[in-house]
Amino acid sequence: MNRVVIVGGGNGGLVVANRLHGKGLDVTVVEPSDTHLYQPGIVDYALGSETEESIVRSLDSLLPVRWVRGRVTKVLVEDHSVMVGDRKLEYDYLVLSPGVVSKKIDGTVGWHSLEEGRKLRDQIASFTGNSIVVGYSGVIKCPAAPFEFAFLLKERFPKAKVTLLNPVTNPPEIQRPMAEAFGKRAKELGVEIKRGFKIARIDSAQRIIESESGEKVQYDLALIDPPVVVGNEFREMADQTGFIPVDRTTLKYKNYDNVFVIGDANNILTPPKTGSKAHYEAKVVSDNILHAVEGGSKKLYDGSAICAVYASSKKGYLVRMNFERSSIYGASSIFYEMKRAFTHLYWSSLKGIFP
C-alpha cells in the first residue's frame, strides 16, 4: 500500500487528506496543533462579529485519516522520509503544507492565530483615539485583508482618520482590477492609502511608524501585518524568496516526482497566498497522486483562486484569478452575504468538494 505523508493540518493538508481517504492509500497527517483555525475569520472575530467557536474546530473532528501530533523537524527527500522528533516516517508521496510563520517585528501583532486575534480584538474594543493605521510589510497572507480591516474600521469609527500603508507602489498587472476597485472604495469611505510606504521602523512608545524614505505616520491604533516566511525546519528547502520552490503547474519540489508543496509555504506569489489558492492546489495534487498510483492523465494547476472580500459592513466583492488574468465583481450585498456565509460553509469545503 502506497504511503502518503501530509505535513500540516491547515486548509491544503486537510483537503488532500480528505480527498485521499478511502482510496486504498496509507495516509498520515503530521500536525502539532489539536485545533484548526479558519484564518479569514480573524477579521470578523477581531471586529466582534464572530465567536471563537465559529472559527475554530478540533482537528480530530476534521481528519478521517491517521494523525501524528508533532512537528516535523527534518525533511529527508533522498531518504523518502520525514523526522518528527526522533521518529522517522517513511513515504512514497510527500505533501508539504506546513503553512508559514510571521517574522517578529516590534510593534506588530500578526493576523493568523487565535491568540493574535484575541489581541487585535482587545485593541479594537478599547480604541478611543483619533488615528488608525492599517498596513503590512513584505509578503503576507491575503493582501485584501488590510483593505478589509481599513474599510470596516472606518465604518466603525467614522470620526477617526484611517490610513492604509501599502508597500506596493504599482501593483502587478494581473492584480490591477482589484487594486483599482479597492482604491475607489477607499476614496468613497475616506480612507487614505499611502502607496509605496515600506515600513522601516515602528516606535511603539511614541506611536510613530516610519518608512524607508523617512516619512512618518502617527497612530493611536496600528494594525500591521508582518511578513511571512516558512518555519525554520524548512529553511534549507527554501529559495531566496523565503519559500519552498515548486513548478507552478505540477507543484512538485525541484525534480522530485513524489514531493509536492502546496499553500502558503510554496514560492508561488501570484495569485497571492490565500486559502482558496491552497484549496485548488490541494485538489490538483491529490488527484495526481491518485493518477500516479491508479493510472490516468495528470492535472495542472492553472493559478486558480477565488475569494469574497468585504467592501463595507453591507457590501462585498468577488475576486477571481489565475496565472493569466483576474477579475473583480461588486461591490454588492450578494458578495457580502457570500463572505459571511463561507465562515460556516468552510468546514464542509475541507472535504475537497468545493472551494
Side-chain angles (χ1 to χ4, degrees):
M1 182 179 291
N2 283 277
R3 300 157 298 178
V4 181
V5 172
I6 303 167
V7 178
N11 187 310
L14 287 178
V15 171
V16 173
N18 275 283
R19 288 174 66 85
L20 294 183
H21 172 58
K23 302 295 185 180
L25 301 168
D26 180 8
V27 182
T28 301
V29 171
V30 183
E31 168 58 47
S33 176
D34 61 358
T35 58
H36 177 89
L37 172 69
Y38 173 55
Q39 292 187 29
I42 287 292
V43 173
D44 298 299
Y45 174 71
L47 288 161
S49 58
E50 288 292 348
T51 64
E52 293 186 13
E53 290 75 19
S54 67
I55 63 171
V56 178
R57 293 283 189 279
S58 64
L59 193 64
D60 57 8
S61 71
L62 303 169
L63 265 181
V65 300
R66 183 187 304 110
W67 166 31
V68 173
R69 184 174 181 182
R71 188 177 298 277
V72 167
T73 55
K74 189 78 172 178
V75 178
L76 305 169
V77 291
E78 297 295 342
D79 191 43
H80 304 283
S81 63
V82 299
M83 299 300 300
V84 183
D86 296 331
R87 180 180 179 181
K88 178 185 282 191
L89 294 179
E90 297 181 336
Y91 63 80
D92 297 296
Y93 296 94
L94 175 65
V95 181
L96 294 175
S97 186
V100 288
V101 297
S102 297
K103 290 184 179 180
K104 300 298 183 183
I105 299 178
D106 291 341
T108 65
V109 176
W111 301 355
H112 313 297
S113 72
L114 185 57
E115 181 182 0
E116 292 167 337
R118 289 171 180 153
K119 292 179 181 178
L120 295 172
R121 188 181 177 104
D122 290 344
Q123 290 176 357
I124 293 170
S126 61
F127 174 70
T128 58
N130 299 308
S131 176
I132 301 173
V133 174
V134 180
Y136 65 100
S137 177
V139 178
I140 62 169
K141 300 184 183 185
C142 187
F147 290 90
E148 290 184 307
F149 263 128
F151 298 160
L152 295 172
L153 286 169
K154 182 61 179 177
E155 282 200 328
R156 180 162 173 172
F157 303 105
K159 294 182 179 180
K161 178 181 180 182
V162 178
T163 304
L164 193 150
L165 307 180
N166 187 343
V168 179
T169 303
N170 295 304
E173 188 62 33
I174 198 168
Q175 295 183 27
R176 193 169 297 280
M178 184 173 69
E180 291 176 352
F182 291 171
K184 179 181 177 181
R185 186 59 176 158
K187 288 182 179 179
E188 292 171 352
L189 292 173
V191 173
E192 180 183 7
I193 299 179
K194 289 185 177 292
R195 292 196 175 277
F197 193 106
K198 294 180 171 60
I199 298 173
R201 185 175 67 93
I202 300 176
D203 186 335
S204 299
Q206 299 297 317
R207 295 187 175 182
I208 293 174
I209 302 176
E210 185 175 351
S211 73
E212 293 179 357
S213 64
E215 183 179 0
K216 297 180 179 180
V217 176
Q218 188 87 36
Y219 68 86
D220 296 310
L221 170 64
L223 275 62
I224 307 297
D225 196 11
V228 295
V229 292
V230 295
N232 287 329
E233 57 270 47
F234 305 103
R235 294 284 170 84
E236 291 183 2
M237 302 178 72
D239 62 14
Q240 69 278 4
T241 67
F243 305 101
I244 304 174
V246 295
D247 179 282
R248 73 173 191 168
T249 58
T250 65
L251 303 166
K252 292 178 181 178
Y253 169 63
K254 293 187 174 178
N255 61 338
Y256 296 93
D257 288 337
N258 64 339
V259 180
F260 306 88
V261 187
I262 62 175
D264 295 334
N266 70 34
N267 68 340
I268 299 175
L269 301 181
T270 301
K273 299 184 179 299
T274 63
S276 172
K277 168 180 169 288
H279 183 106
Y280 278 106
E281 291 175 343
K283 292 178 72 173
V284 169
V285 166
S286 56
D287 284 351
N288 283 342
I289 290 174
L290 288 173
H291 292 160
V293 174
E294 301 173 350
S297 58
K298 296 294 180 69
K299 294 185 177 180
L300 298 177
Y301 177 56
D302 65 357
S304 287
I306 180 173
C307 57
V309 178
Y310 289 131
S312 69
S313 60
K314 294 181 180 179
K315 293 185 178 181
Y317 299 102
L318 183 69
V319 179
R320 299 181 66 96
M321 185 178 297
N322 57 32
F323 290 139
E324 303 299 327
R325 64 185 65 85
S326 69
S327 54
I328 185 168
Y329 309 93
S332 163
S333 60
I334 294 174
F335 300 133
Y336 170 83
E337 294 299 336
M338 179 186 295
K339 171 83 172 181
R340 293 288 295 154
F342 195 69
T343 302
H344 307 284
L345 293 172
Y346 172 74
W347 308 106
S348 296
S349 81
L350 295 176
K351 296 180 180 179
I353 301 170
F354 60 89

